[in-house]
Amino acid sequence: MYAELGLYIDGQWLNGSGRKGEDVINPATEKPLAHLPHASKSDLDLALESAKKGFALWRATSAYDRAKIMRKAADLMRERYDNISKIMVQEQGKVYVEARAEVLTSAEIIEWYAEEGRRSYGRIVPGRGKGIRQLVVHEPVGVVAAFTPWNFPVLTPARKIGGALASGCSLILKASEETPGACVELVRCFADAGLPAGVLNLVFGVPAEVSEHLLAKDAVRKISFTGSIPVGKHLAGLAAKGMKRTTMELGGHSPVVVFGDADPEKAADTIAAFKYRNAGQVCISPTRFYVQEDVYGRFLKRFTEYTSGLKIGDGLEKGITLGPLANSRRIDAMDSFVADAKSRGGKIVTGGKRRGNQGYFYEPTVITDVPDDSKIMTQEPFGPLAPIVTFKTFDEVVARANSLPFGLAAYAFTTSSTTAAAIGDAIESGMVGVNSIAVSTPETPFGGVKESGHGSEGGIEGLGAYFNTKFISQG
Ligand code: NAD
Protein backbone atom coordinates (compact mmCIF):
# COMPACT_ATOMS: atom_id res chain seq x y z
CA MET A 1 0.00 0.00 0.00
CA TYR A 2 3.03 2.31 0.36
CA ALA A 3 5.18 3.52 -2.54
CA GLU A 4 8.07 1.79 -4.28
CA LEU A 5 10.90 4.19 -3.47
CA GLY A 6 13.81 5.08 -5.71
CA LEU A 7 15.86 7.82 -7.29
CA TYR A 8 14.81 9.04 -10.73
CA ILE A 9 17.77 10.04 -12.87
CA ASP A 10 17.93 10.40 -16.67
CA GLY A 11 14.58 8.69 -17.06
CA GLN A 12 15.57 5.65 -14.97
CA TRP A 13 14.32 4.54 -11.57
CA LEU A 14 17.29 3.53 -9.44
CA ASN A 15 16.78 1.43 -6.36
CA GLY A 16 18.80 0.74 -3.27
CA SER A 17 21.39 -1.70 -4.58
CA GLY A 18 24.67 -0.90 -2.81
CA ARG A 19 23.50 2.57 -1.79
CA LYS A 20 23.26 3.95 1.71
CA GLY A 21 19.80 4.96 2.82
CA GLU A 22 17.31 5.38 5.64
CA ASP A 23 13.97 4.07 6.82
CA VAL A 24 10.81 6.08 6.27
CA ILE A 25 8.68 6.11 9.43
CA ASN A 26 4.90 6.29 9.78
CA PRO A 27 4.36 9.04 12.38
CA ALA A 28 1.05 7.52 13.50
CA THR A 29 2.66 4.20 14.46
CA GLU A 30 6.41 4.98 14.60
CA LYS A 31 6.90 1.85 12.44
CA PRO A 32 9.03 1.79 9.27
CA LEU A 33 7.19 1.91 5.95
CA ALA A 34 10.07 1.30 3.56
CA HIS A 35 13.77 1.86 3.00
CA LEU A 36 14.80 4.91 0.99
CA PRO A 37 18.02 4.85 -1.08
CA HIS A 38 20.33 7.85 -0.91
CA ALA A 39 22.07 9.21 -3.98
CA SER A 40 25.82 8.71 -3.98
CA LYS A 41 28.13 11.47 -5.25
CA SER A 42 28.29 9.71 -8.59
CA ASP A 43 24.47 9.54 -8.69
CA LEU A 44 24.40 13.30 -8.14
CA ASP A 45 26.91 13.85 -10.93
CA LEU A 46 24.80 11.63 -13.16
CA ALA A 47 21.75 13.73 -12.24
CA LEU A 48 23.66 16.88 -13.18
CA GLU A 49 24.69 15.51 -16.57
CA SER A 50 21.16 14.33 -17.11
CA ALA A 51 19.72 17.75 -16.18
CA LYS A 52 22.16 19.52 -18.53
CA LYS A 53 21.06 17.26 -21.37
CA GLY A 54 17.43 17.69 -20.30
CA PHE A 55 17.76 21.47 -20.34
CA ALA A 56 19.13 21.56 -23.88
CA LEU A 57 16.25 19.42 -25.05
CA TRP A 58 13.45 21.05 -23.05
CA ARG A 59 14.32 24.66 -23.80
CA ALA A 60 14.16 23.75 -27.49
CA THR A 61 10.68 22.27 -27.00
CA SER A 62 7.90 24.77 -27.72
CA ALA A 63 5.84 26.11 -24.84
CA TYR A 64 2.84 24.56 -26.57
CA ASP A 65 4.35 21.07 -26.51
CA ARG A 66 5.66 21.49 -22.96
CA ALA A 67 2.13 22.40 -21.87
CA LYS A 68 0.69 19.23 -23.46
CA ILE A 69 2.98 17.00 -21.38
CA MET A 70 2.38 19.00 -18.22
CA ARG A 71 -1.39 18.83 -18.65
CA LYS A 72 -1.15 15.07 -19.16
CA ALA A 73 0.84 14.79 -15.91
CA ALA A 74 -1.86 16.81 -14.12
CA ASP A 75 -4.51 14.44 -15.49
CA LEU A 76 -2.53 11.45 -14.18
CA MET A 77 -2.28 13.10 -10.75
CA ARG A 78 -6.07 13.40 -10.71
CA GLU A 79 -6.50 9.78 -11.83
CA ARG A 80 -4.12 8.57 -9.12
CA TYR A 81 -5.08 10.96 -6.32
CA ASP A 82 -6.41 8.26 -3.98
CA ASN A 83 -3.20 6.21 -4.02
CA ILE A 84 -0.94 9.27 -3.72
CA SER A 85 -3.03 10.68 -0.87
CA LYS A 86 -2.90 7.42 1.10
CA ILE A 87 0.87 7.25 0.69
CA MET A 88 1.14 10.83 1.94
CA VAL A 89 -1.00 10.18 5.03
CA GLN A 90 1.17 7.21 5.98
CA GLU A 91 4.48 9.02 5.70
CA GLN A 92 3.48 12.54 6.75
CA GLY A 93 0.54 12.15 9.11
CA LYS A 94 -2.00 14.65 7.77
CA VAL A 95 -5.60 13.45 7.50
CA TYR A 96 -6.78 11.90 4.25
CA VAL A 97 -9.07 14.76 3.15
CA GLU A 98 -6.19 17.21 3.48
CA ALA A 99 -3.86 14.93 1.54
CA ARG A 100 -6.47 14.59 -1.21
CA ALA A 101 -6.92 18.36 -1.37
CA GLU A 102 -3.14 18.74 -1.61
CA VAL A 103 -2.84 16.34 -4.55
CA LEU A 104 -5.75 17.89 -6.43
CA THR A 105 -4.48 21.43 -5.83
CA SER A 106 -1.05 20.34 -7.03
CA ALA A 107 -2.60 19.08 -10.27
CA GLU A 108 -4.16 22.52 -10.67
CA ILE A 109 -0.80 24.17 -10.07
CA ILE A 110 0.84 22.10 -12.81
CA GLU A 111 -2.03 22.82 -15.17
CA TRP A 112 -1.96 26.55 -14.42
CA TYR A 113 1.79 26.76 -15.05
CA ALA A 114 1.39 24.73 -18.24
CA GLU A 115 -1.05 27.30 -19.59
CA GLU A 116 0.84 30.31 -18.29
CA GLY A 117 4.06 29.10 -19.91
CA ARG A 118 2.31 29.68 -23.25
CA ARG A 119 1.81 33.32 -22.29
CA SER A 120 5.35 34.16 -21.21
CA TYR A 121 5.41 37.15 -23.54
CA GLY A 122 8.37 39.45 -23.97
CA ARG A 123 7.90 42.95 -25.38
CA ILE A 124 9.08 45.28 -28.11
CA VAL A 125 10.36 48.67 -27.00
CA PRO A 126 10.29 51.40 -29.70
CA GLY A 127 13.81 51.94 -31.02
CA ARG A 128 15.64 55.28 -30.84
CA GLY A 129 16.98 55.12 -34.38
CA LYS A 130 15.42 54.24 -37.72
CA GLY A 131 15.23 50.49 -38.27
CA ILE A 132 16.28 49.63 -34.70
CA ARG A 133 14.27 46.86 -33.09
CA GLN A 134 14.52 46.55 -29.32
CA LEU A 135 13.35 43.20 -28.02
CA VAL A 136 12.92 42.10 -24.42
CA VAL A 137 12.80 38.32 -24.27
CA HIS A 138 12.53 35.72 -21.53
CA GLU A 139 14.94 32.82 -21.51
CA PRO A 140 14.87 29.87 -19.10
CA VAL A 141 17.44 30.23 -16.31
CA GLY A 142 18.93 26.76 -16.83
CA VAL A 143 19.32 23.77 -14.52
CA VAL A 144 17.42 24.28 -11.26
CA ALA A 145 18.23 22.60 -7.94
CA ALA A 146 15.10 22.44 -5.77
CA PHE A 147 14.82 21.39 -2.14
CA THR A 148 11.45 20.64 -0.57
CA PRO A 149 10.39 19.85 3.01
CA TRP A 150 8.23 17.22 4.68
CA ASN A 151 5.08 19.21 5.47
CA PHE A 152 3.69 19.33 1.89
CA PRO A 153 5.32 16.39 0.08
CA VAL A 154 3.45 17.00 -3.21
CA LEU A 155 2.40 20.64 -3.23
CA THR A 156 5.82 22.14 -2.61
CA PRO A 157 7.53 20.03 -5.29
CA ALA A 158 4.61 20.78 -7.65
CA ARG A 159 5.18 24.53 -7.32
CA LYS A 160 8.84 24.17 -8.20
CA ILE A 161 8.33 21.61 -10.95
CA GLY A 162 5.50 23.70 -12.45
CA GLY A 163 7.50 26.93 -12.65
CA ALA A 164 10.65 25.25 -13.89
CA LEU A 165 9.05 23.09 -16.58
CA ALA A 166 6.71 25.78 -17.88
CA SER A 167 9.63 28.13 -18.45
CA GLY A 168 11.83 25.54 -20.17
CA CYS A 169 14.21 24.77 -17.28
CA SER A 170 15.27 21.31 -16.18
CA LEU A 171 15.29 20.29 -12.55
CA ILE A 172 17.08 18.25 -9.95
CA LEU A 173 14.65 17.91 -7.08
CA LYS A 174 15.77 16.78 -3.64
CA ALA A 175 12.54 16.08 -1.84
CA SER A 176 12.27 15.30 1.85
CA GLU A 177 13.77 12.00 2.97
CA GLU A 178 11.08 11.81 5.67
CA THR A 179 8.19 11.93 3.17
CA PRO A 180 9.54 10.63 -0.15
CA GLY A 181 6.76 8.30 -1.34
CA ALA A 182 4.12 10.81 -2.46
CA CYS A 183 6.77 12.79 -4.32
CA VAL A 184 8.03 9.62 -6.04
CA GLU A 185 4.46 9.10 -7.27
CA LEU A 186 4.25 12.73 -8.40
CA VAL A 187 7.41 12.32 -10.46
CA ARG A 188 6.02 9.06 -11.86
CA CYS A 189 3.06 11.02 -13.24
CA PHE A 190 5.49 13.17 -15.26
CA ALA A 191 7.48 10.16 -16.41
CA ASP A 192 4.28 8.41 -17.52
CA ALA A 193 3.05 11.59 -19.22
CA GLY A 194 6.04 11.39 -21.58
CA LEU A 195 8.39 13.96 -20.08
CA PRO A 196 11.73 13.40 -21.83
CA ALA A 197 14.54 11.80 -19.80
CA GLY A 198 16.73 14.30 -17.97
CA VAL A 199 14.19 17.12 -17.65
CA LEU A 200 13.10 16.15 -14.15
CA ASN A 201 15.42 14.25 -11.81
CA LEU A 202 14.59 13.19 -8.25
CA VAL A 203 17.23 12.48 -5.62
CA PHE A 204 17.40 11.85 -1.87
CA GLY A 205 20.33 11.86 0.50
CA VAL A 206 21.88 13.66 3.45
CA PRO A 207 20.43 17.15 2.79
CA ALA A 208 23.57 19.15 3.61
CA GLU A 209 25.74 16.88 1.46
CA VAL A 210 23.39 16.97 -1.53
CA SER A 211 22.96 20.74 -1.47
CA GLU A 212 26.66 21.40 -1.02
CA HIS A 213 27.53 19.10 -3.91
CA LEU A 214 24.95 20.49 -6.33
CA LEU A 215 25.31 24.16 -5.47
CA ALA A 216 29.04 24.04 -6.14
CA LYS A 217 28.41 23.15 -9.79
CA ASP A 218 28.40 25.87 -12.45
CA ALA A 219 25.64 24.14 -14.42
CA VAL A 220 23.13 24.77 -11.61
CA ARG A 221 21.85 28.31 -12.22
CA LYS A 222 18.99 28.56 -9.75
CA ILE A 223 18.10 27.30 -6.29
CA SER A 224 14.57 27.09 -5.03
CA PHE A 225 14.25 26.15 -1.36
CA THR A 226 11.32 25.73 0.99
CA GLY A 227 12.17 25.10 4.63
CA SER A 228 13.54 26.72 7.75
CA ILE A 229 15.17 30.15 7.95
CA PRO A 230 18.60 28.90 9.17
CA VAL A 231 18.86 26.42 6.29
CA GLY A 232 17.63 29.07 3.84
CA LYS A 233 20.39 31.44 4.94
CA HIS A 234 22.96 28.67 4.61
CA LEU A 235 21.83 27.83 1.06
CA ALA A 236 21.67 31.51 0.08
CA GLY A 237 25.32 31.72 1.15
CA LEU A 238 26.26 28.74 -1.02
CA ALA A 239 24.30 30.21 -3.94
CA ALA A 240 26.06 33.55 -3.57
CA LYS A 241 29.43 31.91 -4.26
CA GLY A 242 28.29 31.13 -7.81
CA MET A 243 25.92 34.16 -8.07
CA LYS A 244 23.01 31.76 -8.63
CA ARG A 245 19.41 32.91 -8.63
CA THR A 246 17.42 32.00 -5.51
CA THR A 247 13.84 31.66 -4.40
CA MET A 248 13.58 31.23 -0.65
CA GLU A 249 10.30 30.19 0.93
CA LEU A 250 11.13 30.13 4.63
CA GLY A 251 9.31 30.10 7.92
CA GLY A 252 6.96 32.69 9.37
CA HIS A 253 5.00 33.47 12.52
CA SER A 254 1.66 34.66 11.19
CA PRO A 255 -0.28 37.15 13.27
CA VAL A 256 -4.07 37.07 13.36
CA VAL A 257 -5.76 40.33 14.32
CA VAL A 258 -9.43 40.19 15.33
CA PHE A 259 -10.87 43.68 15.63
CA GLY A 260 -13.71 44.50 17.99
CA ASP A 261 -16.13 45.15 15.12
CA ALA A 262 -15.68 41.63 13.69
CA ASP A 263 -18.08 38.77 14.38
CA PRO A 264 -15.89 36.85 16.86
CA GLU A 265 -17.63 33.51 16.43
CA LYS A 266 -17.41 33.66 12.64
CA ALA A 267 -13.75 34.68 12.84
CA ALA A 268 -13.01 31.86 15.32
CA ASP A 269 -14.70 29.23 13.13
CA THR A 270 -12.76 30.33 10.06
CA ILE A 271 -9.35 30.68 11.60
CA ALA A 272 -9.49 27.67 13.98
CA ALA A 273 -10.12 25.26 11.11
CA PHE A 274 -7.21 26.83 9.26
CA LYS A 275 -4.97 26.76 12.34
CA TYR A 276 -5.11 22.98 12.77
CA ARG A 277 -4.63 22.07 9.10
CA ASN A 278 -1.73 19.62 8.94
CA ALA A 279 -1.58 19.87 12.76
CA GLY A 280 -0.28 23.42 12.40
CA GLN A 281 2.79 22.35 10.42
CA VAL A 282 2.20 24.89 7.70
CA CYS A 283 4.42 27.89 7.00
CA ILE A 284 1.37 30.19 6.66
CA SER A 285 -0.41 28.70 9.67
CA PRO A 286 -1.93 31.35 11.96
CA THR A 287 0.34 31.32 14.99
CA ARG A 288 -0.16 34.47 17.13
CA PHE A 289 -3.69 35.62 17.88
CA TYR A 290 -4.36 39.22 18.91
CA VAL A 291 -8.01 39.87 19.78
CA GLN A 292 -9.41 43.28 20.67
CA GLU A 293 -10.53 43.32 24.29
CA ASP A 294 -14.30 43.73 23.77
CA VAL A 295 -14.62 40.48 21.73
CA TYR A 296 -11.81 38.49 23.36
CA GLY A 297 -14.02 36.34 25.62
CA ARG A 298 -16.37 35.30 22.83
CA PHE A 299 -13.54 34.57 20.39
CA LEU A 300 -11.61 32.51 22.94
CA LYS A 301 -14.68 30.48 23.91
CA ARG A 302 -15.55 29.56 20.33
CA PHE A 303 -11.94 28.86 19.34
CA THR A 304 -11.45 26.63 22.39
CA GLU A 305 -14.66 24.70 21.68
CA TYR A 306 -13.44 23.99 18.15
CA THR A 307 -10.01 22.97 19.45
CA SER A 308 -11.26 20.54 22.06
CA GLY A 309 -13.69 19.02 19.56
CA LEU A 310 -10.94 17.84 17.22
CA LYS A 311 -10.61 14.06 16.90
CA ILE A 312 -7.00 12.93 17.14
CA GLY A 313 -5.83 9.76 15.42
CA ASP A 314 -4.40 8.08 12.35
CA GLY A 315 -5.26 10.23 9.34
CA LEU A 316 -6.42 7.21 7.34
CA GLU A 317 -9.26 6.50 9.79
CA LYS A 318 -12.69 7.97 9.12
CA GLY A 319 -13.76 10.88 11.30
CA ILE A 320 -10.23 11.84 12.35
CA THR A 321 -9.64 15.59 12.11
CA LEU A 322 -6.12 15.90 13.55
CA GLY A 323 -3.29 13.54 12.66
CA PRO A 324 0.06 13.05 14.36
CA LEU A 325 2.94 15.48 14.07
CA ALA A 326 5.34 14.50 11.31
CA ASN A 327 8.32 13.54 13.44
CA SER A 328 9.55 13.30 17.03
CA ARG A 329 11.37 16.66 16.72
CA ARG A 330 8.03 18.40 16.62
CA ILE A 331 6.88 16.70 19.87
CA ASP A 332 10.00 17.92 21.65
CA ALA A 333 9.49 21.40 20.19
CA MET A 334 5.84 21.54 21.35
CA ASP A 335 6.84 20.49 24.88
CA SER A 336 9.45 23.21 24.96
CA PHE A 337 6.99 25.93 23.79
CA VAL A 338 4.41 24.85 26.37
CA ALA A 339 6.94 24.65 29.22
CA ASP A 340 8.26 28.12 28.41
CA ALA A 341 4.73 29.55 28.22
CA LYS A 342 3.81 28.07 31.60
CA SER A 343 6.97 29.35 33.21
CA ARG A 344 6.10 32.84 31.92
CA GLY A 345 2.61 32.88 33.46
CA GLY A 346 0.79 31.42 30.44
CA LYS A 347 -2.42 29.47 31.06
CA ILE A 348 -3.21 26.28 29.16
CA VAL A 349 -6.93 26.48 28.36
CA THR A 350 -7.02 23.11 26.60
CA GLY A 351 -4.43 20.53 25.51
CA GLY A 352 -0.79 21.10 26.36
CA LYS A 353 0.72 17.64 26.19
CA ARG A 354 1.52 14.61 24.07
CA ARG A 355 -1.34 12.12 23.58
CA GLY A 356 -0.32 8.49 24.27
CA ASN A 357 3.18 7.17 23.76
CA GLN A 358 2.91 5.48 20.37
CA GLY A 359 2.73 7.84 17.41
CA TYR A 360 3.63 11.52 17.49
CA PHE A 361 0.24 12.77 18.63
CA TYR A 362 0.02 16.12 20.37
CA GLU A 363 -3.11 17.67 21.84
CA PRO A 364 -4.31 20.82 20.09
CA THR A 365 -3.53 23.54 22.57
CA VAL A 366 -4.89 26.97 23.41
CA ILE A 367 -2.69 29.20 25.56
CA THR A 368 -3.58 32.59 27.06
CA ASP A 369 -1.81 35.24 29.15
CA VAL A 370 1.59 34.79 27.53
CA PRO A 371 3.89 37.82 27.32
CA ASP A 372 5.01 39.06 23.88
CA ASP A 373 8.60 38.02 24.54
CA SER A 374 7.75 34.39 25.37
CA LYS A 375 9.01 31.64 23.07
CA ILE A 376 5.58 30.89 21.59
CA MET A 377 5.06 34.56 20.65
CA THR A 378 8.49 35.00 19.07
CA GLN A 379 9.44 31.65 17.44
CA GLU A 380 7.50 29.74 14.82
CA PRO A 381 5.73 26.88 16.64
CA PHE A 382 5.06 24.70 13.54
CA GLY A 383 2.53 22.66 15.46
CA PRO A 384 -0.97 22.70 16.98
CA LEU A 385 -0.42 25.53 19.47
CA ALA A 386 -2.57 28.69 19.53
CA PRO A 387 -1.55 31.55 21.84
CA ILE A 388 -4.44 34.04 22.13
CA VAL A 389 -3.90 37.45 23.73
CA THR A 390 -5.65 40.83 23.83
CA PHE A 391 -4.91 44.23 22.31
CA LYS A 392 -6.36 47.72 22.72
CA THR A 393 -5.62 49.88 19.67
CA PHE A 394 -4.88 49.59 15.96
CA ASP A 395 -1.42 51.17 16.22
CA GLU A 396 -0.49 48.95 19.15
CA VAL A 397 -1.47 45.72 17.40
CA VAL A 398 0.30 46.70 14.18
CA ALA A 399 3.50 47.39 16.12
CA ARG A 400 3.24 44.03 17.89
CA ALA A 401 2.41 42.15 14.67
CA ASN A 402 5.38 43.74 12.88
CA SER A 403 7.81 43.33 15.75
CA LEU A 404 9.30 39.98 14.63
CA PRO A 405 11.89 39.45 11.89
CA PHE A 406 9.39 37.32 9.89
CA GLY A 407 6.87 38.36 7.24
CA LEU A 408 5.18 35.48 5.46
CA ALA A 409 1.42 35.59 6.07
CA ALA A 410 -0.95 37.60 8.25
CA TYR A 411 -4.70 37.57 8.82
CA ALA A 412 -7.22 40.11 10.05
CA PHE A 413 -10.95 40.19 10.71
CA THR A 414 -13.02 43.36 10.67
CA THR A 415 -16.35 44.60 9.30
CA SER A 416 -14.97 48.09 8.64
CA SER A 417 -13.75 48.68 5.10
CA THR A 418 -11.50 51.48 6.40
CA THR A 419 -9.84 49.16 8.91
CA ALA A 420 -9.61 46.38 6.29
CA ALA A 421 -7.70 48.65 3.92
CA ALA A 422 -5.52 50.07 6.70
CA ILE A 423 -4.48 46.70 8.12
CA GLY A 424 -3.78 45.30 4.65
CA ASP A 425 -1.37 48.18 4.10
CA ALA A 426 0.19 48.24 7.57
CA ILE A 427 1.24 44.62 8.02
CA GLU A 428 4.77 43.71 6.93
CA SER A 429 4.03 40.44 5.22
CA GLY A 430 4.15 38.75 1.82
CA MET A 431 0.49 37.73 2.03
CA VAL A 432 -2.36 39.27 4.01
CA GLY A 433 -5.80 37.69 4.33
CA VAL A 434 -8.43 40.21 5.40
CA ASN A 435 -11.65 38.38 6.32
CA SER A 436 -10.13 35.60 4.22
CA ILE A 437 -7.72 32.74 4.55
CA ALA A 438 -7.31 32.21 0.81
CA VAL A 439 -3.72 33.42 0.55
CA SER A 440 -2.37 30.48 -1.46
CA THR A 441 -3.73 29.68 -4.92
CA PRO A 442 -2.01 28.58 -8.16
CA GLU A 443 -2.65 31.93 -9.83
CA THR A 444 -1.51 34.26 -7.04
CA PRO A 445 2.01 35.03 -5.78
CA PHE A 446 3.12 33.20 -2.64
CA GLY A 447 6.22 34.29 -0.76
CA GLY A 448 7.58 36.22 2.17
CA VAL A 449 9.45 39.37 3.13
CA LYS A 450 12.08 40.03 5.80
CA GLU A 451 13.65 36.78 7.04
CA SER A 452 10.74 34.75 5.65
CA GLY A 453 12.56 34.83 2.33
CA HIS A 454 12.36 36.36 -1.10
CA GLY A 455 10.84 35.57 -4.46
CA SER A 456 7.39 34.24 -5.20
CA GLU A 457 5.91 30.92 -6.21
CA GLY A 458 2.56 30.95 -7.93
CA GLY A 459 1.12 33.57 -10.20
CA ILE A 460 3.03 35.18 -13.04
CA GLU A 461 5.69 36.10 -10.47
CA GLY A 462 6.28 32.40 -9.83
CA LEU A 463 6.88 31.76 -13.51
CA GLY A 464 9.07 34.84 -13.84
CA ALA A 465 11.36 33.41 -11.17
CA TYR A 466 12.60 30.86 -13.72
CA PHE A 467 13.36 33.33 -16.51
CA ASN A 468 16.34 35.49 -17.29
CA THR A 469 15.51 38.74 -19.03
CA LYS A 470 17.49 39.42 -22.19
CA PHE A 471 17.50 42.67 -24.16
CA ILE A 472 18.26 42.42 -27.87
CA SER A 473 18.94 45.60 -29.80
CA GLN A 474 18.82 44.79 -33.48
CA GLY A 475 19.88 47.28 -36.10
P1 NAD B 1 15.49 21.62 9.38
O1 NAD B 1 15.91 23.02 9.41
O2 NAD B 1 16.46 20.56 9.77
O3 NAD B 1 14.97 21.20 7.92
C1 NAD B 1 14.04 21.94 7.17
C2 NAD B 1 14.06 21.38 5.75
O4 NAD B 1 15.29 21.69 5.13
C3 NAD B 1 13.98 19.85 5.68
O5 NAD B 1 13.17 19.50 4.58
C4 NAD B 1 15.41 19.39 5.44
O6 NAD B 1 15.49 18.20 4.70
C5 NAD B 1 15.98 20.52 4.66
N1 NAD B 1 17.40 20.75 4.89
C6 NAD B 1 18.04 20.80 6.08
N2 NAD B 1 19.34 21.09 5.90
C7 NAD B 1 19.53 21.23 4.56
C8 NAD B 1 20.66 21.54 3.75
N3 NAD B 1 21.87 21.83 4.27
N4 NAD B 1 20.49 21.58 2.40
C9 NAD B 1 19.28 21.36 1.84
N5 NAD B 1 18.17 21.07 2.57
C10 NAD B 1 18.29 21.01 3.91
O7 NAD B 1 14.23 21.54 10.29
P2 NAD B 1 13.07 20.50 10.53
O8 NAD B 1 13.21 19.89 11.87
O9 NAD B 1 12.86 19.56 9.39
O10 NAD B 1 11.89 21.53 10.57
C11 NAD B 1 11.95 22.50 11.60
C12 NAD B 1 11.58 23.85 11.16
O11 NAD B 1 11.70 24.06 9.77
C13 NAD B 1 10.14 24.15 11.44
O12 NAD B 1 9.98 24.58 12.76
C14 NAD B 1 9.80 25.20 10.46
O13 NAD B 1 10.14 26.45 11.00
C15 NAD B 1 10.72 24.96 9.32
N6 NAD B 1 10.04 24.39 8.16
C16 NAD B 1 9.47 25.25 7.30
C17 NAD B 1 8.79 24.76 6.21
C18 NAD B 1 8.12 25.69 5.25
O14 NAD B 1 7.18 25.29 4.60
N7 NAD B 1 8.61 26.92 5.09
C19 NAD B 1 8.71 23.39 6.00
C20 NAD B 1 9.33 22.51 6.90
C21 NAD B 1 10.01 23.03 7.97
Side-chain angles (χ1 to χ4, degrees):
M1 209 181 143
Y2 187 65
E4 198 175 316
L5 301 180
L7 313 169
Y8 185 67
I9 298 174
D10 200 16
Q12 303 293 319
W13 288 100
L14 308 175
N15 65 23
S17 57
R19 291 179 178 84
K20 290 183 185 159
E22 65 189 275
D23 283 343
V24 181
I25 306 295
N26 181 336
T29 62
E30 296 182 47
K31 299 214 165 76
L33 290 163
H35 193 73
L36 174 73
H38 282 184
S40 64
K41 285 214 164 81
S42 59
D43 288 329
L44 294 178
D45 289 337
L46 202 63
L48 267 163
E49 287 312 309
S50 152
K52 280 200 261 181
K53 187 185 76 178
F55 177 54
L57 192 152
W58 194 239
R59 74 174 302 181
T61 304
S62 73
Y64 177 80
D65 286 334
R66 293 200 290 253
K68 277 204 287 198
I69 293 175
M70 291 176 72
R71 278 201 306 268
K72 171 82 176 145
D75 287 343
L76 289 175
M77 289 163 71
R78 290 194 187 99
E79 266 176 34
R80 300 173 186 178
Y81 80 83
D82 184 52
N83 181 43
I84 303 174
S85 307
K86 284 177 178 153
I87 290 168
M88 192 192 304
V89 175
Q90 291 175 76
E91 63 188 9
Q92 201 275 334
K94 70 184 55 166
V95 296
Y96 176 81
V97 285
E98 288 183 24
R100 183 180 61 192
E102 180 176 340
V103 176
L104 296 177
T105 304
S106 302
E108 261 194 67
I109 289 173
I110 298 300
E111 200 167 63
W112 188 85
Y113 270 119
E115 286 305 313
E116 201 59 26
R118 297 169 61 187
R119 291 186 277 275
S120 56
Y121 313 124
R123 65 186 197 278
I124 300 172
V125 181
R128 289 190 164 208
K130 195 164 183 288
I132 300 283
R133 295 208 312 156
Q134 304 194 113
L135 311 178
V136 180
V137 296
H138 294 144
E139 293 187 337
V141 166
V143 174
V144 176
F147 302 88
T148 55
W150 43 262
N151 57 338
F152 286 95
V154 169
L155 188 124
T156 322
R159 279 202 174 121
K160 298 181 194 309
I161 294 171
L165 297 196
S167 61
C169 294
S170 67
L171 201 75
I172 302 174
L173 170 65
K174 191 206 77 60
S176 169
E177 290 70 25
E178 293 177 299
T179 56
C183 189
V184 161
E185 292 308 316
L186 170 68
V187 169
R188 209 183 299 283
C189 291
F190 283 89
D192 294 349
L195 189 72
V199 179
L200 171 60
N201 302 275
L202 177 66
V203 298
F204 299 100
V206 177
E209 291 174 11
V210 176
S211 55
E212 207 156 310
H213 192 81
L214 292 180
L215 269 57
K217 306 291 181 188
D218 288 341
V220 172
R221 294 316 314 157
K222 179 182 166 83
I223 290 100
S224 181
F225 173 72
T226 301
S228 64
I229 292 172
V231 175
K233 287 180 178 174
H234 168 67
L235 295 185
L238 293 180
K241 287 184 187 160
M243 204 48 81
K244 299 172 198 294
R245 292 268 294 270
T246 52
T247 295
M248 292 286 166
E249 299 289 354
L250 310 177
H253 200 338
S254 309
V256 178
V257 180
V258 182
F259 288 99
D261 60 8
D263 176 338
E265 282 82 18
K266 200 170 155 198
D269 288 345
T270 305
I271 206 73
F274 196 52
K275 163 73 223 173
Y276 296 111
R277 198 168 63 113
N278 200 6
Q281 303 162 113
V282 182
C283 53
I284 55 166
S285 180
T287 41
R288 309 178 267 151
F289 296 77
Y290 303 94
V291 185
Q292 209 156 16
E293 284 175 336
D294 30 355
V295 291
Y296 180 76
R298 283 169 62 191
F299 180 87
L300 178 65
K301 180 169 182 289
R302 187 66 160 245
F303 193 100
T304 306
E305 279 165 8
Y306 182 93
T307 303
S308 33
L310 288 165
K311 291 200 70 179
I312 305 177
D314 187 325
L316 281 181
E317 283 171 27
K318 281 218 162 60
I320 295 300
T321 46
L322 191 80
L325 300 186
N327 52 57
S328 62
R329 301 191 298 288
R330 299 307 328 134
I331 292 283
D332 297 342
M334 294 311 108
D335 281 342
S336 150
F337 280 113
V338 169
D340 177 80
K342 282 184 183 165
S343 76
R344 313 287 311 266
K347 297 195 181 89
I348 307 300
V349 183
T350 184
K353 57 184 187 314
R354 185 175 181 176
R355 172 77 58 90
N357 55 11
Q358 175 114 57
Y360 307 128
F361 297 101
Y362 204 90
E363 292 175 351
T365 301
V366 175
I367 308 173
T368 59
D369 299 281
V370 271
D372 280 0
D373 61 353
S374 61
K375 190 169 168 177
I376 184 72
M377 295 302 277
T378 53
Q379 292 178 30
E380 182 180 32
F382 228 64
L385 309 183
I388 307 181
V389 297
T390 58
F391 75 91
K392 283 191 171 61
T393 68
F394 181 91
D395 289 347
E396 171 214 327
V397 79
V398 167
R400 290 165 76 187
N402 287 344
S403 65
L404 299 185
F406 318 114
L408 190 58
Y411 308 92
F413 293 90
T414 176
T415 47
S416 154
S417 56
T418 309
T419 308
I423 194 76
D425 287 345
I427 296 266
E428 294 167 0
S429 182
M431 283 93 60
V432 186
V434 184
N435 300 320
S436 166
I437 49 164
V439 296
S440 170
T441 74
E443 57 274 13
T444 52
F446 182 94
V449 297
K450 296 160 85 176
E451 293 200 6
S452 292
H454 54 246
S456 293
E457 296 193 293
I460 50 172
E461 293 81 1
L463 184 63
Y466 292 89
F467 282 124
N468 287 330
T469 302
K470 181 186 267 183
F471 170 55
I472 302 172
S473 175
Q474 190 181 316

